[in-house]
Amino acid sequence: MNIHEYQAREILRAHGVPVPPGEVATTPEEAERIAAGYGGMVVVKAQVHAGGRGKAGGVKLADDAADAREKADAILGLEIKGLTVEKVLVAPAEDIATEAYLGIVMDRGSQSDVIMVSSEGGIDIEEVAATHPEAIRKLAVDARYGLLPHQASALAYALYSDAKLARQAARIISQLYEAYRAAGCTLAEINPLISTPAGEVKAIDAKMNIDDNALFRLPNVEAMRDEAAEDPAERKAREAGLSYIQLDGDVGCCVNGAGLAMATMDLVKYYGGEPANFLDIGGSSNPDKVVTAFEIMTSDTKVKSILFNIFGGITRCDDVANGIVEATRRIVVELPIAIRLTGTNEELAVDILKENGFEAMTDMDEVVKRAVAMAAGTSS
Amino acid sequence: MNIHEYQAREILRAHGVPVPPGEVATTPEEAERIAAGYGGMVVVKAQVHAGGRGKAGGVKLADDAADAREKADAILGLEIKGLTVEKVLVAPAEDIATEAYLGIVMDRGSQSDVIMVSSEGGIDIEEVAATHPEAIRKLAVDARYGLLPHQASALAYALYSDAKLARQAARIISQLYEAYRAAGCTLAEINPLISTPAGEVKAIDAKMNIDDNALFRLPNVEAMRDEAAEDPAERKAREAGLSYIQLDGDVGCCVNGAGLAMATMDLVKYYGGEPANFLDIGGSSNPDKVVTAFEIMTSDTKVKSILFNIFGGITRCDDVANGIVEATRRIVVELPIAIRLTGTNEELAVDILKENGFEAMTDMDEVVKRAVAMAAGTSS
Amino acid sequence: MSIFIDGNTSLVVQGITGRDGSFHTRQMIEYGTKVVAGVTPGKGGQVFDESVPVFDTVAEAVEKTGASASAIYVPAAFASSAIFEAADAGVDLIVCITEGVPVGDMMTALPYVREKGARLIGPNCPGLIAPGIGKIGILPGQIVTPGPVGIVSRSGTLTYEVIFQLTRHGIGQSTCIGIGGDPLIGTDFVDCLRAFEEDPSTGAVAMIGEIGGTDEQVAAEFVRDHMSKPVVGFIAGQTAPPGRRMGHAGAIISGSEGTAAEKMSAFRECDIAVAERPADLVGLIESRL
Amino acid sequence: MSIFIDGNTSLVVQGITGRDGSFHTRQMIEYGTKVVAGVTPGKGGQVFDESVPVFDTVAEAVEKTGASASAIYVPAAFASSAIFEAADAGVDLIVCITEGVPVGDMMTALPYVREKGARLIGPNCPGLIAPGIGKIGILPGQIVTPGPVGIVSRSGTLTYEVIFQLTRHGIGQSTCIGIGGDPLIGTDFVDCLRAFEEDPSTGAVAMIGEIGGTDEQVAAEFVRDHMSKPVVGFIAGQTAPPGRRMGHAGAIISGSEGTAAEKMSAFRECDIAVAERPADLVGLIESRL
């Protein structure tokens, strides 16, 4: 799960990280009011789950409250990477002496959380990693011991030779790590971490990605989910316990198992079609889930055919077939449907489906070809 | 540092351990008022830094508030192992189905914190350990991982076969370990841990010893120090940064270094005397510390002679000699003093002392014999 | 023959009285796996299906029955604790089926398992099956048949699909292992490839990867440098968009890292024949046996 | 010869610019120890006494100077962190002089040091000195003289006293080690005894224990079972009351465990001659050389 910059700032603040003030506005008037409260120059920043806000015009400096209102007006409603900006963060502009990068990421290769610092802040860390990796100092944290004070200190001295700045940075690094662990993060970034001419180190921007699997025990973090920023179909799927991701194609895919679902999408493409989605209904043959799957796929107006690909391992194919029949009794599906069921009790399943007027197949390649043809209108 | 039962109960409660109510009284009237508030039977328990309260008459059951007043009156002012009871804890009497023991102790041998449980509760665990150790289940915690849930669970099932009780106990074990770590304990005990006829598991008694070395970062725990329960001389020594323990003898011993101080006490005994105290003045030659050392030793009316044993390693003996001279200019010491200074610049030191009228020696055995003779009055 | 399990493997099932645990315990017993004990705290003393004794702790189960392996079917919130417990009890092999384990929990569970000298497969995996010998996990016994092909995969049903197609074409398997779809897992491709290389009953290996991470790339180099047996591969997720988690917690393209194209080209560079479709794996394997 | 240090040992001093650190660094250099670096965070780039370069981190100090050992003179609040840092930087020997380190801090520092393959002496110890070769810590150089006696002790000034008396009687020392008065320490009696047994320059060992714990009892059994060289012993605290901490955090009789009488009888049972007075050690050693 992604959370917004202003939410990540709240979490950091709760862990003691010095984060300058800042408030969220959903209207230009609100932004003006907030800016007036601070006085002086402010920054207005789009709160949206997409990178590259700056380049997209989502971050603007405003001279005063009236200007903040104008800037907020320009940013609110902006489309950034397909997402509409609904909120802006208004924060006093900071005096910046230096900008650095500080990030923690769950690293699969080393099976540890890796802390990265770079004195080249405010930039894209992936770009720095690709072009001059020597500018990034990395540390793999041994989770058994946690981040040790001397490790935080060594990273801090890699950023600042001045002891006063380094001591502040060491504290911030430890606090960020605590926040990262406590909030179930897989990524947490402060970019830039600034020092001011007065010798203070502060977190200006903040980004956090949360491990979905950790949310069940983090109700406070779960509460930060911005449902408005979610795709409605994806939200509906999530709430029904389905895993769904919308794509641009026209063949709706409903599969049991994530790997098989991806392979099915790939096969749609292989046979000249375009998958409309990733949808994993898991091992259940519960008609409720099948109903929801139909509702989600049919709500995508681009979808022209629906493809079921079910491998009955533990799941019995006849159970799934009954689920599909039951679901289509409850809701009307106008689109052509191609179904493949293989494995345990497949013959029974095919009989059930045919009796109820469905196309029923047992081969994965065949059903994909059929669904692609249906979507292309080259099949009845 | 020891803390009282009522303070340990506070810490446990803050970590979620179910601890029944209870309040502290310093007068019988207060005890009566508290008991009246609870209604019904109460327990009145001496709050004193000594074991074996029960046997010493420091724990009594009272039928009602009036009775609680009487029982408190009997307990307050009682002497238990040389300590006067100044406070009692008044708590509602609990219905007890079973009593168990739960403790955590810092174990030097395994270099880990060891959790011990025994279904024989309410008794002296050292006695159980000596007589039937198989009744105690132990677990050494690997501090890198902390107490793992399955470990707490296994200990809990060793206490209770009933899952409802075991689940509560597992939670309490984990909470006790958290409290133990957070409060810098070297020992934490719940004895007894009871189950009630209604199926609840609760901590009735609680005991904690705190690592003195951890107190600097635990102001809330340091604040629990009961200065009234401390020996005044020992408190004065502690506040001056001296390590002092009063004993029953008549030869006051002032030594630099703990090992040498113990060896000096032993030598006093070896030569037929009785040491009046352990006193380590450390490596400093600061006259202030020497003044305090004199004040502490002379405040013990049993003391008949004062023995200085200083090994000048890094410390220069002449510095210490000057410190002693300076100190005796500031306060008047009526008792005979024997001083031994060996090591760096010892000749210089002996000269300084002799010039100022002190007995000055260089051999440890000789000075001890001399101080013992002085105390016995068999020497001028 | 087989890898990681054999006819002597004796199993304790953690969560045996749960819905999934009880179902799959029956399936495992039916397939011939020696299930010697179950664990559900608070249900110690019961007997599952009148044949498998249930204990409160894994330690007790191991002490009383000598179980050498554990299968974990407990809810995600308790899965890492179950892994710690199994490792602590001294079993050699731990198979964690549970999906949805927080990755932060695995950060400490993995070194613990290593320190205790155990092998963890999973979490979020279907487990493993040695056709004709036994199975631990949820892989359906009826789709496999004994033979020379080792299968290692990050997926569940996609693996079943491949096994099923091989079996239909008369090609049997030595051992089939699903290593799990999470970003942090106990046993990776290389561990399995090394075991297959050493296993006399395995003649060729099919490796089924997916988007996310670099485990397949590392495995490809291992195949090039250390394997004499033929390996063929398939990667799921060629059409997956970047930055989205495709069902599996580990199936996500981060930045430009972990794409199917990158993995397929790593395979090809290391002489691993790459199937465009799952069905193509059959022919690729057949021609190499 | 000597144990744990030799002429090649090169030292980094953590806390070199502090009051104790600077004083003892000068003492160590004067005694001939190769002090190659100092560490004080924030003072990197300075030069101590115009001869020893100061770094912000131990890692940098080790990288630049190749230091093989570290001496720690930092306040108690930072001592365990300094131990972690030294171990992490890869030094072989860490000598922590600092007194007052919370025992909870040592609970994780000790396994860390072990995992990194380093040896820790202390905390709360005077360190060690190899007469004529070098010293790490605070043992006064002027009281020792080279010779055949190995000394290992939990104490500071009591050790000086014993060394001083031996030296006065013309009996020199191979290495003198104070292992520290805390309940949790990195190197115990047995570690030192084993090293003395293997050290060709050591002919006899004096072991100076005190009340608290069972380290002396364990050491006595080691002497009985594994040592060919004569060992004599002394225990301080025969008159110490139970339950009171006698200066050292570790010098406390818990219940009935850790009394001087118990330790002295363990010594005698294992053929370790026990001195009644520190002065008696001289004669006991002399007759065994």
Side-chain angles (χ1 to χ4, degrees), chain D residues 41-85:
Chain D
K43 301 205 173 164
Q46 297 186 6
V47 179
F48 176 80
D49 277 5
E50 294 172 20
S51 66
V52 182
V54 178
F55 300 91
D56 287 327
T57 67
V58 182
E60 209 185 335
V62 168
E63 193 195 313
K64 298 277 171 59
T65 69
S68 64
S70 161
I72 295 175
Y73 302 88
V74 304
F78 309 107
S80 66
S81 176
I83 292 170
F84 276 111
E85 180 172 9

Side-chain angles (χ1 to χ4, degrees), chain A residues 34-164:
Chain A
I34 295 165
Y38 295 132
M41 285 177 69
V42 296
V43 196
V44 183
K45 301 162 93 175
Q47 301 296 289
V48 67
H49 294 318
R53 290 178 306 179
K55 284 181 195 156
V59 179
K60 289 182 192 294
L61 214 57
D63 290 330
D64 53 29
D67 192 23
R69 179 195 180 112
E70 272 177 46
K71 297 289 156 63
D73 195 36
I75 295 171
L76 286 163
L78 206 64
E79 285 256 323
I80 301 181
K81 294 189 180 162
L83 297 165
T84 308
V85 179
E86 311 268 6
K87 296 173 184 168
V88 291
L89 175 69
V90 182
E94 292 289 327
D95 270 354
I96 296 177
T98 66
E99 288 187 292
Y101 171 90
L102 165 61
I104 309 180
V105 64
M106 187 269 294
D107 181 61
R108 300 160 69 136
S110 64
Q111 298 197 324
S112 61
D113 295 311
V114 170
I115 305 182
M116 293 179 290
V117 298
S118 174
S119 46
E120 304 198 11
I123 39 63
D124 181 354
I125 193 71
E126 284 207 19
E127 211 175 292
V128 178
T131 56
H132 41 306
E134 73 288 349
I136 302 176
R137 171 87 173 253
K138 290 187 182 195
L139 172 90
V141 179
D142 184 336
R144 299 172 305 160
Y145 294 97
L147 176 64
L148 297 165
H150 77 274
Q151 296 173 326
S153 177
L155 291 169
Y157 277 99
L159 289 181
Y160 305 107
S161 54
D162 179 71
K164 189 169 162 258

